[in-house]
Amino acid sequence: MSVPRITTEDGIIGPVDASQVPRWVGEATFARLPRIGDVGRADVAILGVPFDTGVSYRPGARFGPGHIRESSRLLRPYNPDAGVEPFGAQQVVDAGDVAVNPFSIDQAISTIETAARSLLSPADGGIGALLTLGGDHTIALPLLRAVHAVQGPVAVVHFDAHLDTWDTYFGAAYTHGTPFRRASEEGILDQTGCVHVGIRGPLYSADDLRDDKSLGFQVLPASDMEHLGTPGMIEAIAQRVGDRPVYVSVDIDVLDPAFAPGTGTPEAGGLTSRELLAILRSLAHLNLVGADIVEVAPAYDHAQVTGIAAAHVGYELLSALALGKSQRK
């Protein structure tokens, strides 16, 4: 059965019209956007990766994509803070979920990379950018491999409580704590432009920071918010990244547990949701080529607090992509 959707004069098909269909009715695509098969072309695709076999503490992020989509039903077409209609300035679609093997990390990584490459492939009339909903942070590695195949080396702006540049856990090289070490080792990253934002909490030793620096990352810890404030953090990110192609990876635990309790490895002293959204909004001035939102674990969430935060993170990233597209015309 067809449903009434908001459609622009240019033929861009947007969300279900909430003035005609109640928000709680119908399938929960992200922001009630059309499925990829319902449109002829797409600029941006939302891709779910329900995988959490790489976690080292609390599991449950495999249910993150569905939770974020359910929590996105209230998103509206116009973003007043950014001054853009993220679903009207570009064709955004929901590409569904990647069916990954929950028993083999290696096989799952291969499947995720193949799925992302197929969506981004220029030879197949590829989509301009992916916004991926995880899933644990292991998925960032295959996603970066797919982006690298199109863009070459990219700068990474990584929002997280943790570095995720450790070497191994229990001898395993591919986990949610190792994706950016592997990506750096594989030459995927532009090591002159990568930055972590929101890092905090105990480390194993000072070597963690030394190793991280050698892999090409600058660290803007959560404590920098106290003296830099949001404008200072925005400026520091912009100076580090410059005009390089940039991939943004948002672990929801960059937020303080007060704002995102539904995650697997929470750390006290994080960013507020308002601070994070403001920083993400500024990324419209960068050459944003893709993004992910990971580590949402709904079993530990309350009243969709974490899911709503993650949905708004996605909304601001889509807004930044829309503004960036208009600025580059």
Side-chain angles (χ1 to χ4, degrees):
M1 183 178 67
S2 63
V3 293
R5 291 187 176 276
I6 298 169
T7 305
T8 70
E9 292 181 358
D10 297 331
I12 293 175
I13 302 171
V16 174
D17 188 344
S19 69
Q20 299 187 55
V21 182
R23 296 184 181 278
W24 55 89
V25 173
E27 65 173 337
T29 58
F30 186 84
R32 307 174 86 203
L33 288 163
R35 292 282 187 190
I36 192 168
D38 297 336
V39 300
R41 50 164 288 277
D43 299 306
V44 183
I46 316 292
L47 181 66
V49 182
F51 172 84
D52 65 1
T53 308
V55 301
S56 58
Y57 196 47
R58 301 193 303 198
R62 67 182 61 183
F63 301 108
H67 189 61
I68 297 170
R69 288 182 174 114
E70 279 290 346
S71 303
S72 72
R73 288 180 179 270
L74 200 56
L75 294 176
R76 299 178 182 89
Y78 180 65
N79 184 336
D81 290 312
V84 69
E85 294 185 6
F87 314 134
Q90 58 195 348
Q91 182 62 68
V92 188
V93 297
D94 193 314
D97 289 343
V98 181
V100 293
N101 187 335
F103 302 108
S104 170
I105 292 179
D106 289 344
Q107 200 172 108
I109 286 173
S110 177
T111 301
I112 296 163
E113 181 181 351
T114 299
R117 278 177 178 258
S118 69
L119 286 167
L120 292 171
S121 173
D124 298 327
I127 286 165
L130 289 180
L131 171 60
T132 306
L133 312 178
D136 76 52
H137 226 150
T138 310
I139 73 171
L141 177 61
L143 294 171
L144 281 166
R145 287 173 176 170
V147 170
H148 177 265
V150 177
Q151 300 286 344
V154 294
V156 167
V157 179
H158 171 219
F159 294 86
D160 204 321
H162 312 97
L163 298 169
D164 289 359
T165 51
W166 286 285
D167 191 11
T168 62
Y169 284 97
F170 293 87
Y174 300 100
T175 75
H176 74 159
T178 67
F180 301 111
R181 177 181 284 262
R182 300 287 90 85
S184 182
E185 292 170 345
E186 292 179 18
I188 293 170
L189 308 185
D190 182 336
Q191 295 190 12
T192 64
C194 295
V195 59
H196 302 294
V197 183
I199 302 299
R200 62 190 187 277
L203 298 172
Y204 294 103
S205 75
D207 289 341
D208 293 344
L209 292 171
R210 285 191 287 268
D211 289 348
D212 187 77
K213 186 176 182 180
S214 72
L215 293 166
F217 281 90
Q218 176 184 341
V219 177
L220 293 174
S223 57
D224 275 3
M225 287 297 305
E226 297 176 20
H227 58 91
L228 291 180
T230 302
M233 296 288 268
I234 289 171
E235 178 61 25
I237 293 168
Q239 286 187 2
R240 177 65 174 170
V241 173
D243 60 358
R244 300 168 180 84
V246 59
Y247 183 91
V248 175
S249 187
V250 181
D251 185 326
I252 205 66
D253 73 19
V254 71
L255 295 175
D256 189 89
F259 302 92
T263 192
T265 49
E267 304 278 1
L271 276 61
T272 69
S273 53
R274 182 171 59 190
E275 290 165 346
L276 176 60
L277 297 178
I279 294 171
L280 293 175
R281 207 168 293 132
S282 75
L283 302 182
H285 303 293
L286 305 181
N287 183 15
L288 183 59
V289 297
D292 63 57
I293 306 165
V294 297
E295 300 288 352
V296 173
Y300 318 109
D301 203 5
H302 307 284
Q304 294 186 332
V305 169
T306 312
I308 290 167
H312 279 263
V313 166
Y315 187 67
E316 293 298 343
L317 288 167
L318 291 170
S319 297
L321 282 165
L323 283 169
K325 178 183 175 184
S326 65
Q327 291 168 5
R328 287 191 292 272
K329 283 183 177 179

